[in-house]
Structure formats: structure tokens, C-alpha cells
Amino acid sequence: MTQHEPHQKHLIQIFRNNDRIGSGVRLTRHFALTAAHCLGDDKDNRMRPVLLRLPDGRRLAGEVQQFDLLSDMALVKIVFQKGEKVPLPGIHFDAAREGEAWTAARRPSGNGRLRGTVSHVSVIYQSTGEQAVNSHRLRPDGSCDDVRKFSGSPVDRGVPEPDRPAVVLGLLVARPATTDAPEGTLFAGTIDEAVRRFDTFKFRPERQQPLSDSERIYEVRQDHEAEALARKDRTVPAGLAAVTSYVNLRWHRPRP
């Protein structure tokens, strides 16, 4: 499998000092999501700049915008050169379903494919006295020899097909210090939690028809009309003022 296959265009690799430290998912044109523990053991280390490798082999600078230890997720801004254009990946974000198959988007050579089934959907991952975050619990099929190599990898539904966009259910985060989950259980942070916990970038969901929570599906797309409206919207954070492209997330069902 080559790194250029269409259904892996949402996968990024993260480096420091030429050492790969983890993976991430391309969330929008300017932002990627990764596991916070990949970035270091303390605040100063986590906020250090990173180098991002896109699926086409291009390497771009990355700036860590925010990290959240409760969810073990971090938001990274992709820094483009002036005038550089990088197309958005074809990708959908969806809620997981108990018992469905999943596959880690990262597939290092010689390590086996990491895949399995979803055992629990949106259960408490970690909590404090005032707040709690959810994640999916994943049951691996046992074919992988070292799951640590997959930290931050997008978790795709089933086995993505080359001619269809990947459907991302979350990304692989660390096993929490306290959990009643069986040994070997993996955890996937959800995109919903990222939307709730990071205020650097706000999503503007639009609904053409009311959908239930079980039917909620994201698609990342560039939307010039939404961008124009966003720039007039006082609720959009000041951090977006310097962003040249605004990506809207619409709520809808992708074509089957």
C-alpha cells in the first residue's frame, strides 16, 4: 500500500528532530488533530513546533495551538508557504456504532494492520469533579505487534475503499490511568469532543433537515458562502481573522 492512496489523504505523520512522534488526522484545510501524549510529557515540550508530513510526501511546519490532557487530544495548525495550495482530503466524520468494524489509517510496513470492532460507543474516558470526556472503546483483533506505533492515527470505519472517501470515527489516544476496560482495549477520541474542548477553531454546523444524534454525520468541504458569513459573525474567534480559507462542516448524509 502506498502513501498516495485516496483513502489515506486524511492521515498525517508528525515529526520532531527527524524523529516520528505520532500520527494525526487532517481535520480541515488549516488544522490537524493528534493525540496530546505524542507531543511530550510537559507543557513546554507539547507546545514546541512540529514538522508535518502529508500523504503526498510534502513536509510542512506545524504549530501546536491547544492540547487537552483530559481527552488526550491536541490541535495543530498547518503552516503553508505564501500562495501554497493543498487540497482538502476527501473525508467524512461520523458517529461510531457498537459492533462495527474499524481500521487504523496508519499502516506501517512490517507491523501488521491494526483493526477490530467497536466495543463501546461514547463512554467516559476520563473525568474530574467538574467535567468528563467521552471516547469510544475499541476491541483489536490481535494482529498487531505494537499498538504504540499507531498513537494519534485516525480510526476509519471498516476498511476504506480506494474510490471512496474515508469515514473517520475518531483517533487513537492513550489508555487512561484509571479504567475498568479489559487489558488490550484501545481508545478513540471523538471529533465531537474535539469540537467541544478546543476554542481555537470553531465549527459552524448547518442542518438542512433535523437529524437525530445517531444520524449525525460531518463532511469537510470548502464553502465560500459560509466563509463570508463567518467573517461577519461576531461569535467567530479573533484567531480566524488571519485564516485565508474558512472550511464549513455541514450536517448531512454522504451519498451511499
Side-chain angles (χ1 to χ4, degrees):
M1 180 171 297
T2 69
Q3 63 180 357
H4 300 279
E5 291 191 56
H7 56 273
Q8 285 189 298
K9 289 185 178 180
H10 58 300
L11 173 69
I12 62 170
Q13 306 295 344
I14 305 173
F15 294 81
R16 279 204 186 110
N17 300 324
N18 294 321
D19 294 325
R20 182 188 168 279
I21 61 174
S23 301
V25 59
R26 182 89 179 277
L27 195 59
T28 67
R29 184 178 302 280
H30 293 272
F31 290 91
L33 197 65
T34 187
H37 77 271
C38 294
L39 300 174
D41 297 328
D42 57 56
K43 181 177 179 180
D44 289 342
N45 276 327
R46 292 187 194 101
M47 296 302 292
R48 287 169 51 209
V50 293
L51 185 68
L52 306 177
R53 188 177 71 196
L54 302 186
D56 63 3
R58 189 178 337 200
R59 295 190 177 223
L60 300 171
E63 298 175 353
V64 179
Q65 299 289 295
Q66 287 181 278
F67 64 85
D68 179 72
L69 298 184
L70 204 59
S71 63
D72 189 33
M73 289 192 285
L75 194 65
V76 180
K77 183 177 180 180
I78 304 169
V79 181
F80 299 106
Q81 298 295 321
K82 185 176 180 180
E84 187 172 21
K85 296 182 179 180
V86 179
L88 282 168
I91 180 175
H92 300 291
F93 298 99
D94 193 6
R97 297 190 290 264
E98 190 170 316
E100 73 173 322
W102 61 269
T103 303
R106 171 162 163 75
R107 299 171 191 177
S109 59
N111 198 65
R113 178 176 291 181
L114 182 59
R115 57 188 176 185
T117 55
V118 177
S119 59
H120 296 80
V121 173
S122 289
V123 295
I124 291 179
Y125 173 67
Q126 293 194 103
S127 64
T128 65
E130 298 180 350
Q131 54 185 325
V133 299
N134 291 337
S135 72
H136 304 318
R137 291 184 181 182
L138 309 176
R139 183 184 300 112
D141 68 3
S143 62
C144 174
D145 60 8
D146 187 358
V147 299
R148 293 172 298 179
K149 295 180 180 179
F150 295 84
S151 292
S153 171
V155 174
D156 297 339
R157 168 171 289 148
V159 178
E161 302 173 20
D163 58 344
R164 298 183 65 181
V167 177
V168 176
L169 308 178
L171 75 157
L172 289 172
V173 293
R175 182 182 178 91
T178 302
T179 179
D180 60 358
E183 286 296 324
T185 299
L186 301 180
F187 296 82
T190 69
I191 305 302
D192 278 348
E193 283 292 355
V195 170
R196 282 192 285 269
R197 301 195 68 80
F198 295 131
D199 57 11
T200 296
F201 188 85
K202 293 293 186 186
F203 300 109
R204 292 169 50 84
E206 295 183 2
R207 300 187 182 202
Q208 296 179 348
Q209 297 178 354
L211 300 177
S212 69
D213 286 342
S214 63
E215 296 174 319
R216 201 166 60 178
I217 297 177
Y218 308 89
E219 182 185 9
V220 177
R221 61 172 66 177
Q222 187 173 12
D223 189 314
H224 296 292
E225 181 179 353
E227 178 179 345
L229 292 173
R231 297 190 181 283
K232 298 177 182 179
D233 189 338
R234 294 180 181 178
T235 65
V236 176
L240 275 180
V243 174
T244 56
S245 297
Y246 185 86
V247 176
N248 187 44
L249 299 189
R250 291 187 180 274
W251 300 100
H252 77 153
R253 285 185 175 280
R255 290 180 299 175

